[in-house]
């Protein structure tokens, strides 16, 4: 880390020395940036491309290089910004247009309007290059995202006709056919893909996944086996087979696949460790220990072997063995971040929190990229009572470190300063955040984002008048920013100025196009004042202006729910469905209202309707799948279907703690307690910290045999609340544990 930082600094120091020929210097920086990019040194590459842009702000190669750097760093918003710059500088650059179009396509999952942007870009490319197959594929996928499957299939068919060997065209065609509920045609296309590409792992994996979603596990096994035979060293093919066998409750088959892979692998140790973990998930604890001890005897100084052996020993309650393993390893390897992390875990398990904190700080010092160390630090904060935002704090600490590294090399880097300011804001380090945003604002006084953030800081510092001053300054420049309008109302709500809110919203409505939002916020304000007739009148106007205004419909439903008028709440949604009979979000709300009314069959029926109407990769589909999975699992219906739905929701939104909670409880109901704990721990760490969530995690610990964590977590549940579904079971379990 220090070497790369010195290199970056040296690049900055050398930059001014070349000044006789700015264009030649620019090209040298671009070439150097490309070399660093190809070597995977993204920080150095970014500095070189930025140096090129200092000499020529319109350098298309430098902007393209920066886009690739940001992609490598996972900063996709910044990558999109660079590609947009290229589009402005070079409208004929079709490669940049297609890259940008793919980003719009991915963003369409959360914002369906982005599919229109992807479609527009694809069409622009085709206007320039009618035979561009990648543009045809982009166009087909954009139409599919908009659920216009006829046009999607038409575009993809043209792609196949133009290039009959293009694998992506076939695979996207198969996916579009399947989404259009044409399974026979989809199967034909996927089969044709593997016939034309018999050596393609990607093709066989796609065929196998099609069969998984179709419920034909025998054919899925055949396709995945072919993919594995083609690439037995690929973790992707191995994982596909193992997941299939686990899903079908064939653990011996999964073990056999792993053992076969171990025998043929050039580096079998990671696979052997994976097999040990799999043994644990099957409750074959001694097999896991035996395998890891054998590995330890053969590789006594290997970090991953020592760490896994000690982790398993700790999990099985053999804490003295685990301590001996870790201490012996650290004696020979005192600079092992993973070793200190595990030592910290052992100290925490023995309630030696000061020792644990010292070890985890040492682990972070040695391995700033060791995410698990930050998570343990968060766990220690939670035990000290700092529950809110602990994991977010850890993530922000990581982000600050990254920003500081860049700023050390390039003090004027606006992106890095913005990242640092955002991180400081998230950590509630308001003075530092304010200074950074003030510096950014002075550089770019017309940038409303920085003005908005200064208002946010002022609000958090308890200066509502200053916050409103900044927010009003933003609205003067752009009266249509919904976030700013919401923030103005939030600040005034904290002051209890409901009448002032209504007056303010009337003033905003005079200049802003956000009429529906204004009526929605007025309706919510009237609800807070318990003036329900006026609230309903405002919400009706909001719906009239924007029939897709989900918040207004939800608030109208809440008005009815407050009166326990469940049928009337449903009628609010049915009024929308009368105009838009296939409007999927309406069915989601209807299912929610049925669920609230304890009408389980009605809720299930409407959640199933959601699954028919939502695209499978949409947030609405994930929400419906999660809620349906919960009902199926808690009402003792199909656990297999519940698992499939919950896993799908988790896959679509991996950061959602509620989806993790559902999946964890489904695994618990199925007896997969190790998998359950993983999901439920994530759920609690991400903010689900009420009694039922602690209860579910505690029961999973108990069933897994982790008595210490079970006791601590169940006690936490009962401390949080003495009355919740499962409270009696929690008390009985604690009695069984001797607590």
């Amino acid at each position: 880390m220090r070497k790369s930082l010195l290199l970056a600094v040296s690049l900055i120091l050398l930059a001014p020395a070349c000044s006789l020929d700015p264009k030649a210097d620019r090209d040298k920086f671009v070439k150097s940036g490309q070399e660093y990019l190809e070597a995977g040194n993204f920080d150095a590459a970014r500095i070189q491309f930025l140096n090129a842009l200092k000499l020529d702000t319109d350098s298309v190669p430098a902007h393209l290089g920066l886009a690739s750097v940001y992609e490598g760093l996972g900063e996709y918003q910044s990558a999109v910004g660079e590609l947009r710059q290229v589009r402005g500088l070079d409208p004929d650059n079709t490669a940049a247009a297609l890259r940008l179009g793919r980003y719009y396509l991915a963003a369409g999952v959360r914002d369906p309007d982005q599919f229109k942007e992807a479609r527009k870009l694809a069409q622009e490319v085709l206007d320039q290059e009618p035979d561009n197959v990648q543009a045809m594929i982009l166009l087909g996928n954009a139409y599919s995202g908009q659920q216009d499957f006829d046009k999607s299939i038409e575009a993809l068919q043209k792609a196949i006709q133009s290039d009959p060997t293009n694998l992506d065209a076939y695979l996207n065609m198969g996916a579009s056919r399947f989404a259009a509920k044409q399974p026979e045609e989809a199967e034909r296309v996927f089969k044709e893909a593997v016939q034309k590409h018999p050596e393609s792992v990607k093709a066989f994996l796609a065929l196998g996944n099609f069969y998984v979603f179709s419920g034909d596990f025998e054919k899925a096994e055949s396709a995945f086996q072919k993919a594995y035979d083609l690439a037995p060293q690929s973790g992707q093919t191995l994982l596909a087979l193992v997941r299939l066998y686990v899903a079908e409750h064939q653990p011996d088959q999964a073990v056999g696949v792993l053992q076969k892979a171990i025998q043929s692998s050039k580096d079998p140790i990671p696979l052997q460790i994976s097999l040990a973990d799999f043994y644990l998930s099957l409750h074959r604890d001694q097999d896991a220990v035996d395998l890891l001890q054998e590995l330890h005897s053969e590789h006594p100084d290997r970090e991953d072997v020592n760490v896994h052996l000690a982790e398993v020993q700790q999990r099985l309650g053999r804490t003295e063995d685990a301590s001996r393993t870790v201490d012996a390893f650290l004696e020979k390897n005192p600079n092992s971040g993973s070793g200190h992390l595990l030592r910290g875990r052992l100290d925490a398990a023995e309630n030696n929190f000061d020792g644990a904190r010292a070890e985890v700080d040492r682990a972070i010092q040695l391995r700033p990229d060791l995410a698990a160390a930050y998570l343990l630090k968060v766990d220690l904060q939670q035990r000290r009572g700092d529950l809110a935002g602990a994991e977010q704090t850890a993530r922000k600490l990581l982000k600050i470190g990254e920003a500081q590294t860049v700023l050390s090399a390039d003090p004027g880097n606006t992106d890095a300063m913005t990242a640092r300011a955002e991180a400081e804001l998230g950590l509630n380090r308001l003075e530092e955040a304010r200074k950074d945003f003030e510096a950014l604002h002075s550089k770019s006084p017309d940038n409303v984002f920085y003005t908005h953030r200064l208002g946010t800081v002022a609000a958090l510092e308890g200066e509502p008048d200053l916050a409103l001053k900044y927010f009003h300054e933003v609205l003067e420049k752009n009266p249509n920013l919904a976030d700013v309008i919401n923030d103005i109302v939030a600040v005034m709500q904290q002051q209890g100025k409901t009448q002032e809110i209504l007056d303010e919203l009337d003033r905003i409505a005079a200049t802003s196009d956000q009429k529906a939002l204004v009526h929605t916020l007025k309706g919510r304000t009237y609800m807070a004042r318990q003036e329900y007739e006026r609230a309903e009148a405002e919400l009706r106007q909001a719906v009239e202006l924007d029939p897709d205004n989900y918040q207004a419909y939800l608030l109208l439903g809440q008005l009815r729910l407050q009166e326990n008028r469940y049928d009337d709440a449903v009628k609010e949604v049915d009024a929308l469905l009368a105009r838009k009979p296939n409007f999927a979000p309406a069915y989601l709300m209807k299912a929610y209202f049925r669920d609230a009314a304890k009408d389980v069959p009605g809720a299930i029926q409407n959640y199933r309707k959601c699954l028919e109407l939502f695209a499978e990769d949409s947030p609405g589909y994930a929400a419906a799948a999660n809620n349906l999975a919960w009902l199926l699992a808690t009402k003792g219906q199909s656990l297999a279907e519940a698992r499939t739905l919950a896993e799908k929701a988790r896959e679509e939104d991996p950061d959602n703690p509620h989806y993790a909670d559902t999946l964890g409880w489904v695994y618990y109901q199925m007896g997969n307690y190790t998998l359950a704990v993983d999901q439920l721990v994530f759920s609690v760490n991400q903010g689900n910290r009420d009694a039922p969530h602690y209860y579910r995690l505690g029961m999973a610990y108990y069933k897994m045999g982790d008595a210490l964590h079970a006791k601590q977590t169940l006690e936490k549940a009962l401390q949080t609340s003495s009355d919740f579904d499962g409270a009696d079971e929690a008390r009985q379990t604690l009695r069984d544990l001797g607590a």
Side-chain angles (χ1 to χ4, degrees):
M1 180 68 75
R2 186 167 297 173
K3 185 184 292 184
S4 65
L5 179 56
L6 291 174
L7 171 64
V9 173
S10 68
L11 292 172
I12 290 293
L13 293 175
L14 288 173
C18 304
S19 58
L20 295 178
D21 186 352
K23 290 187 177 180
D25 291 345
R26 174 202 65 191
D27 294 341
K28 287 179 183 178
F29 282 128
V30 170
K31 182 180 179 182
S32 175
Q34 291 291 352
E35 291 172 353
Y36 283 121
L37 182 62
E38 292 171 6
N41 189 341
F42 298 119
D43 287 334
R46 171 159 51 183
I47 291 168
Q48 294 297 68
F49 289 130
L50 288 172
N51 283 334
L53 289 172
K54 288 176 183 177
L55 296 172
D56 179 5
T57 57
D58 294 341
S59 171
V60 169
H63 283 295
L64 286 173
L66 264 183
S68 297
V69 165
Y70 289 132
E71 287 171 350
L73 293 171
E75 300 174 13
Y76 300 114
Q77 283 292 95
S78 297
V80 168
E82 294 300 325
L83 292 172
R84 285 175 174 160
Q85 289 263 44
V86 173
R87 288 286 294 160
L89 295 167
D90 183 8
D92 295 331
N93 193 316
T94 56
L98 290 173
R99 286 174 67 181
L100 186 58
R102 294 186 191 105
Y103 277 111
Y104 287 141
L105 199 66
V109 173
R110 298 187 181 277
D111 180 5
D113 286 342
Q114 299 300 313
F115 289 128
K116 296 178 184 177
E117 296 298 322
R119 195 181 75 193
K120 179 181 175 183
L121 280 177
Q123 193 59 60
E124 288 178 5
V125 173
L126 288 171
D127 290 342
Q128 294 175 253
E129 302 175 10
D131 296 328
N132 191 308
V133 174
Q134 293 304 316
M136 296 176 193
I137 294 173
L138 177 62
L139 183 63
N141 287 330
Y143 276 126
S144 181
Q146 294 180 304
Q147 300 189 47
D148 190 341
F149 299 115
D150 290 340
K151 289 184 179 179
S152 171
I153 291 168
E154 179 184 352
L156 293 168
Q157 190 63 52
K158 287 181 181 178
I160 292 172
Q161 290 170 354
S162 298
D163 183 3
T165 64
N166 191 297
L167 177 60
D168 287 338
Y170 277 97
L171 299 186
N172 284 288
M173 171 68 89
S176 191
R177 292 280 191 186
F178 187 71
K181 296 182 172 48
Q182 300 175 12
E184 294 179 358
E185 282 297 308
E187 182 179 18
R188 179 188 63 76
V189 173
F190 283 123
K191 281 184 172 180
E192 192 170 347
V194 299
Q195 288 169 1
K196 289 182 177 290
H197 300 271
E199 303 301 317
S200 170
V201 171
K202 184 178 179 180
F204 279 102
L205 287 175
L207 179 62
N209 284 322
F210 163 74
Y211 284 130
V212 167
F213 284 113
S214 300
D216 193 332
F217 291 97
E218 185 176 343
K219 290 183 179 179
E221 179 186 21
S222 176
F224 287 149
Q225 185 63 56
K226 180 61 178 177
Y228 176 77
D229 292 341
L230 288 169
Q233 303 301 321
S234 165
Q236 192 177 16
T237 61
L238 180 65
L239 184 61
L241 268 176
V242 169
R243 278 182 170 174
L244 181 70
Y245 289 133
V246 170
E248 285 303 288
H249 302 287
Q250 299 180 27
D252 292 340
Q253 292 285 85
V255 169
V257 170
L258 286 167
Q259 289 174 334
K260 182 180 177 182
I262 288 168
Q263 293 170 3
S264 62
S265 176
K266 296 178 181 178
D267 182 15
I269 294 177
L271 288 174
Q272 289 172 296
I273 292 173
S274 296
L275 179 58
D277 288 340
F278 190 55
Y279 281 143
L280 288 174
S281 72
L282 300 175
H283 304 292
R284 292 170 57 175
D285 299 340
Q286 194 56 49
D287 287 337
V289 172
D290 291 345
L291 176 54
L292 290 171
Q293 285 181 333
E294 182 180 348
L295 279 174
H296 186 259
S297 64
E298 296 172 357
H299 308 277
D301 293 327
R302 183 154 170 155
E303 184 180 64
D304 54 357
V305 172
N306 277 274
V307 168
H308 270 78
L309 175 59
E311 284 178 340
V312 171
Q313 289 169 331
Q314 180 192 12
R315 181 179 293 184
L316 299 179
R318 305 174 187 178
T319 53
E320 292 183 2
D321 291 342
S323 291
R324 280 194 292 269
T325 300
V326 173
D327 292 343
F329 176 70
L330 284 175
E331 187 176 351
K332 294 181 180 179
N333 303 275
N335 293 325
S336 167
S338 296
H340 284 286
L341 169 60
L342 190 51
R343 179 68 265 174
R345 285 177 176 163
L346 291 168
D347 287 340
E350 296 170 0
N351 296 323
N352 178 9
F353 298 124
D354 291 337
R357 182 62 180 266
E359 292 292 340
V360 77
D361 285 342
R362 177 63 175 155
I364 290 172
Q365 180 185 5
L366 292 166
R367 288 275 308 277
D369 63 333
L370 193 60
Y374 289 93
L375 293 176
L376 176 56
K377 190 171 184 177
V378 166
D379 182 56
L380 294 172
Q381 291 171 330
Q382 291 173 341
R383 294 179 188 223
R384 297 271 186 177
D386 181 17
L387 299 179
E391 184 170 358
Q392 180 184 1
T393 299
R395 292 176 185 269
K396 295 295 184 181
L397 284 169
L398 282 171
K399 185 181 286 188
I400 282 183
E402 294 167 2
Q404 286 291 83
T405 300
V406 176
L407 287 169
S408 298
D410 183 7
N413 189 301
T414 301
D415 288 340
M417 188 180 291
T418 303
R420 184 176 68 186
E422 286 287 288
E424 290 162 345
L425 182 60
L427 286 169
N428 206 35
R429 289 162 52 172
L430 300 178
E431 183 177 355
E432 295 97 323
R434 176 168 42 77
K435 288 178 180 178
D436 272 341
F437 282 124
E438 284 173 346
L440 290 163
H441 185 262
S442 66
K443 280 185 174 183
S444 304
D446 293 329
N447 188 321
V448 294
F449 172 78
Y450 300 138
T451 311
H452 182 199
R453 278 293 184 257
L454 283 171
T456 303
V457 172
L460 293 171
E461 288 183 324
E463 299 184 57
D465 293 338
L466 180 59
L468 291 172
K469 173 181 173 294
Y470 281 123
F471 292 151
H472 285 129
E473 184 181 332
V474 174
L475 283 189
E476 286 176 7
K477 295 176 180 177
N478 188 340
N480 297 318
L481 292 176
D483 286 346
V484 180
I485 296 172
N486 277 308
D487 285 346
I488 288 174
V489 172
V491 169
M492 298 179 78
Q493 278 179 333
Q494 290 178 347
Q495 298 174 297
K497 298 179 177 180
T498 56
Q499 184 56 52
E500 288 84 347
I501 290 173
L502 296 170
D503 295 340
E504 178 72 21
L505 288 170
D506 286 338
R507 285 191 290 270
I508 291 172
T511 58
S512 174
D513 293 333
Q514 296 279 5
K515 310 295 186 187
L517 174 62
V518 167
H519 284 297
T520 302
L521 293 173
K522 288 182 72 174
R524 194 175 70 190
T525 304
Y526 280 126
M527 285 179 66
R529 290 160 61 108
Q530 298 184 358
E531 297 181 31
Y532 296 130
E533 289 185 8
R534 288 188 173 185
E536 182 170 356
E538 293 292 340
L539 295 171
R540 296 287 180 210
Q541 289 188 63
V543 168
E544 184 177 345
L545 289 169
D546 180 9
D548 296 341
N549 190 326
Y550 311 155
Q551 186 181 11
Y553 281 104
L554 183 58
L555 289 170
L556 282 167
Q558 287 177 342
L559 279 174
R560 304 287 83 89
L561 286 179
Q562 287 178 355
E563 302 163 337
N564 294 324
R565 293 164 55 187
Y566 300 112
D567 290 339
D568 288 339
V570 170
K571 286 179 182 178
E572 299 293 348
V573 181
D574 285 338
L576 172 61
L577 288 172
R579 293 190 298 274
K580 301 182 69 174
N582 290 322
F583 189 50
Y587 283 101
L588 190 58
M589 287 188 285
K590 188 173 180 178
Y592 168 75
F593 293 147
R594 288 296 186 198
D595 200 352
K598 310 299 183 186
D599 178 6
V600 174
I604 288 176
Q605 177 186 357
N606 283 283
Y607 283 132
R608 292 198 186 282
K609 186 67 175 178
C610 292
L611 299 182
E612 293 176 14
L613 295 174
F614 277 115
E616 285 196 10
D617 56 356
S618 71
Y621 187 100
N626 174 78
N627 294 355
L628 179 55
W630 178 263
L631 287 176
L632 294 175
T634 56
K635 301 305 177 184
Q637 300 188 29
S638 173
L639 286 176
E641 183 185 4
R643 181 202 65 217
T644 300
L645 291 168
E647 288 177 344
K648 177 66 175 175
R650 190 85 168 88
E651 178 184 340
E652 290 301 325
D653 191 355
D655 294 328
N656 191 311
H658 301 292
Y659 297 173
D661 179 62
T662 298
L663 180 57
W665 198 237
V666 171
Y667 283 146
Y668 177 91
Q669 299 289 341
M670 300 182 77
N672 294 331
Y673 303 119
T674 301
L675 297 179
V677 165
D678 288 342
Q679 299 297 324
L680 295 170
V681 164
F682 178 92
S683 172
V684 169
N685 284 344
Q686 287 287 345
N688 279 338
R689 299 189 183 96
D690 55 19
H693 292 97
Y694 282 118
Y695 154 72
R696 287 191 280 275
L697 176 57
M699 292 306 301
Y701 275 134
Y702 174 70
K703 292 290 188 179
M704 194 177 73
D706 188 341
L708 176 62
H709 282 98
K711 175 179 176 294
Q712 292 174 339
T713 311
L714 290 173
E715 286 178 343
K716 182 65 178 177
L718 292 169
Q719 289 168 6
T720 305
S721 172
S722 60
D723 184 20
F724 58 90
D725 288 343
D728 290 339
E729 186 178 22
R731 294 187 185 93
Q732 182 58 52
T733 303
L734 285 171
R735 286 193 288 270
D736 293 341
L737 290 169

